[in-house]
């Protein structure tokens, strides 16, 4: 199989995966609010969700490197299905917290599995395609899937509301329950599809003596030391923490913020789905254009990340001061275009400076930093949003993003990949 063929195969799988994820994106916070949760409660739920991911992220990365990446990924889908089942029946904060822990665990199990499989498989295939362009292609598949899922996720509640009015005695369905049920069913189907698209034979095959829990722990420890000693990886981890804070800040509160703006207008929940879909299409466009922009910047990944993240921070501050649905939509889309433009470069640097035997773990550490940032944002921004308003928390996030981007200026362009001694 050629590099392009492998990229298409992985792209299809990722498109399906993220379509399923997208179904929940336009309505997740609305689901919590429909269960009677306040903004502070939502902050606690999201902190538990991403906190569970953070606690399990690195250990499970070591498991994927040791026991197999496809097996670990398939198990994550099973955990995700269980989390959806609990969320479907949850009607109070304690049960919602249980669902959040399961869904957070599913993300931790998935993190660093198939991405590591793809990088190692890509390097073994014949072809002249650069990994940066391959990642850009995969990102297009991902964002198209997210866009399709978000459109579907925003459309389903309106269909439910029209088909089963609140006053109807024919159903006890919450208007968002169909989203949850569809995610569970689709995840089950994806297990079968993934077994056909992703072949275990292309994953690293550890020797029997290495398949021991102590070796998984040692792998994780080596990767952690490398992540914070390596001149490039350490800068990536630091900026990734703030990236996670900003991402969580906007993901947790854009729906309540927009709901306030459209209150009393003709806009419905479908508008949330449309905006989510447009965001993902903008993200796909930024991924494609990042290849050209990198050429303009003479292949300097750090310059690309610095310039786009600073601009994104400014756009985030502008978003925090919008007062109309249309101006909100425009700033929201511009922000995400800039915010995601450097993601491919970050992924390239992360993979190029990591040895194969700890790749899944290193990707999990990067994801761990995002989730740690998310935990901090859910608690810190949740408190600020509750007492001072969402605009204040977003302005704070924009300033943090601009300040953290300065770290890219102190990062060397390239160093050797190495693993620290355990």
């Amino acid at each position: 199989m050629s590099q392009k063929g492998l990229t298409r195969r992985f792209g299809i799988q990722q498109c399906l995966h993220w379509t399923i994820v997208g179904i929940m994106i336009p309505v997740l916070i609305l689901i919590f609010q429909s269960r009677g949760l306040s903004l502070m409660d939502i902050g606690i739920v999201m902190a538990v969700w991403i906190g569970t991911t953070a606690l399990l992220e690195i250990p499970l990365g070591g498991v994927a490197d040791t026991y197999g990446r496809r097996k670990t990924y398939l198990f994550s889908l099973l955990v995700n299905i269980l989390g959806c089942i609990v969320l479907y029946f949850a009607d109070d904060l304690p049960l919602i917290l249980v669902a959040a822990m399961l869904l957070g665990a599913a993300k931790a199990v998935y993190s660093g599995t198939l991405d590591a499989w793809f990088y190692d498989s890509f390097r073994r295939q014949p072809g002249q395609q650069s990994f940066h362009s391959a990642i850009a292609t995969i990102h297009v598949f991902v964002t198209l899937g997210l866009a399709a899922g978000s459109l579907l996720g925003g459309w389903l509640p309106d269909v439910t509301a029209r088909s089963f009015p609140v006053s109807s005695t024919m159903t006890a369905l919450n208007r968002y329950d169909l989203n949850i049920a569809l995610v569970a069913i689709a995840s089950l189907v994806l297990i079968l599809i993934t077994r056909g698209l992703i072949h275990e034979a292309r994953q690293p095959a550890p020797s029997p003596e290495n398949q021991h829990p102590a070796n998984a722990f040692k792998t994780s420890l080596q990767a952690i030391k490398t992540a914070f000693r390596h001149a490039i990886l350490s800068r990536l981890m630091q900026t990734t923490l703030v990236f996670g804070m900003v991402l969580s800040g906007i993901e947790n509160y854009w729906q309540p913020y927009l709901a306030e703006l459209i209150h009393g207008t003709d806009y419905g929940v479908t508008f949330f789905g449309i905006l989510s879909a447009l965001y993902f299409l903008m993200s796909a466009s930024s991924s494609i254009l990042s290849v050209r922009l990198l050429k303009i910047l003479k292949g300097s990944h750090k310059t690309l990340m610095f310039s786009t993240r600073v601009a994104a921070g400014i756009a985030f501050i502008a978003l925090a001061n919008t007062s109309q649905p249309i101006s909100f939509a425009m700033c929201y889309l511009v922000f995400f275009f800039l915010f995601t433009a450097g993601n491919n470069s970050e992924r390239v640097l992360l993979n190029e400076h990591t040895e194969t035997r700890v790749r899944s773990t290193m990707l999990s550490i990067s994801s761990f930093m995002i989730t740690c940032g998310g935990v901090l944002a859910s608690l810190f921004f949740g408190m600020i949003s509750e007492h001072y308003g969402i605009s204040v928390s977003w302005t704070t996030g924009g300033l943090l993003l601009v300040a953290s981007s300065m770290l890219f200026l102190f990062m060397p362009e390239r160093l050797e990949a190495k693993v620290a001694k355990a």
Side-chain angles (χ1 to χ4, degrees), residues 99-117:
M101 285 188 285
L102 288 169
L103 294 170
K107 185 178 184 297
V109 177
Y110 163 75
S111 176
T113 54
L114 297 187
D115 289 336
W117 168 87

Side-chain angles (χ1 to χ4, degrees), residues 7 29 43 70 138-139 181 274 312 341 360 410 419:
T7 300
I29 305 303
R70 191 185 73 163
I138 296 299
H139 191 68
I274 292 172
S360 285
F410 302 97
V419 178

